[in-house]
Amino acid sequence: MSNHTGHDHTNHSGHGSHGGAHAGGLSVSENGYTLELDSTILTAGVQPVSFRVIGPDRQAVTEFVPEHEKELHFIAVRRDTAGFQHVHPVRDEQGTWSVELALEPGDWRFFTDIHPSAHDGTMTLGIDAAVSGPYDPQPLPEATGTAQIGEYTVALDGELVPGEAGALTLTVSRNGRPVTDLQPYLAAYGHLVALRVGDLGYLHVHPEGAPGDGTTAPGPEIAFMAVAPSAGTYRLFLDFQHNDVVRTAEFTVRTTDVTTPPPTAPEDSSHHHGHHAHH
């Protein structure tokens, strides 16, 4: 199902349908599967976190269909969208997963992206966890269209349109030069997670093409198809690998409506303080 071209998949009912206009991760339980943390109260610092996915038979699930090379993708992000981490826990034979996370004080959301073998598709379960200590919530970063990670710059091109599949292209450069030797990461040249600001609704985003398919170049451009389930502001997190290091580029994106442009010109900042921040 990788090459979505039209928007035929937007009318899926959304139970586990990858790429539909349906925000996942808003529920701790779906289709009879429930995410269970060993502890929902954690201390700050690098901490071990363990959890299980409980199936309809009330047993911990031990059979998963791998997606993007992994049985389970685990995403951790603080409620203010700071501290994003995409990690790969290890499962024991009893179905308990464990992983280390770097946690700052505050309210966090943990997501598991899974495809239990007994279920007909993927789903994302989400659960809240609290990290004790003085919480210093961060304001939402500006929507600039570029991200800087050390020597790397990632530029975002494309728009998120509510209810429509749209192409997003991320272009990676290093010290001003295009990067043309990206390394495959999770069966793609990049892995993109999008979260809706306000409720952290989780969007499935699909890479276009794959390493080794004869047409997909290893940079500088990485292409994705994404559907915004609603109007609003989204946070995008791109994981990409170069020189054996996985780096994360972060973006703030506001949805656009391609059919009806806004009635006011961008210069009118009476209700939007931030238009002057285009660098």
Side-chain angles (χ1 to χ4, degrees):
M1 310 182 48
S2 54
N3 288 323
H4 291 314
T5 47
H7 38 252
D8 55 307
H9 58 294
T10 54
N11 51 18
H12 283 339
S13 56
H15 47 270
S17 60
H18 247 232
H22 162 79
L26 295 174
S27 176
V28 72
S29 188
E30 192 176 316
N31 304 310
Y33 293 87
T34 303
L35 179 55
E36 187 180 89
L37 286 180
D38 273 342
S39 175
T40 56
I41 300 175
L42 302 159
T43 50
V46 177
Q47 298 293 338
V49 173
S50 55
F51 62 93
R52 280 162 302 284
V53 176
I54 305 299
D57 59 359
R58 302 195 180 176
Q59 304 297 310
V61 179
T62 57
E63 298 282 328
F64 295 86
V65 178
E67 300 273 354
H68 296 289
E69 295 184 342
K70 300 289 181 181
E71 283 191 343
L72 181 147
H73 293 264
F74 191 88
I75 306 290
V77 68
R78 206 167 63 172
R79 280 264 172 204
D80 61 352
T81 77
F84 175 90
Q85 291 158 80
H86 174 190
V87 295
H88 294 102
V90 175
R91 175 177 60 79
D92 68 16
E93 292 177 2
Q94 285 73 46
T96 295
W97 296 84
S98 53
V99 71
E100 285 200 335
L101 294 174
L103 298 170
E104 295 284 334
D107 288 320
W108 286 71
R109 188 73 172 169
F110 297 159
F111 300 96
T112 55
D113 206 6
I114 51 170
H115 182 175
S117 298
H119 186 64
D120 62 358
T122 59
M123 68 185 92
T124 307
L125 303 177
I127 193 169
D128 279 349
V131 179
S132 56
Y135 179 24
D136 182 25
Q138 298 301 302
L140 202 64
E142 284 292 323
T144 62
T146 59
Q148 192 73 35
I149 321 100
E151 299 177 335
Y152 293 84
T153 304
V154 183
L156 171 67
D157 189 41
E159 294 179 332
L160 279 179
V161 181
E164 286 188 24
L168 297 175
T169 304
L170 294 113
T171 304
V172 183
S173 57
R174 182 185 187 187
N175 294 326
R177 288 187 290 277
V179 173
T180 56
D181 57 346
L182 289 170
Q183 294 163 303
Y185 177 64
L186 303 175
Y189 285 119
H191 191 276
L192 186 66
V193 168
L195 300 172
R196 184 168 57 193
V197 174
D199 62 4
L200 299 185
Y202 182 99
L203 282 62
H204 286 296
V205 183
H206 289 277
E208 293 285 278
D213 63 4
T215 57
T216 305
E221 295 186 349
I222 317 169
F224 297 90
M225 291 298 285
V227 181
S230 69
T233 302
Y234 292 80
R235 289 280 284 155
L236 272 53
F237 302 90
L238 171 74
D239 291 321
F240 65 97
Q241 184 166 318
H242 189 242
N243 290 351
D244 300 322
V245 177
V246 176
R247 294 172 174 83
T248 304
E250 305 184 3
F251 301 89
T252 302
V253 178
R254 295 183 182 87
T255 53
T256 56
D257 189 337
V258 289
T259 51
T260 55
T264 54
E267 291 76 41
D268 174 23
S269 57
S270 56
H271 57 285
H272 256 73
H273 47 270
H275 277 300
H276 57 278
H278 290 310
H279 299 301

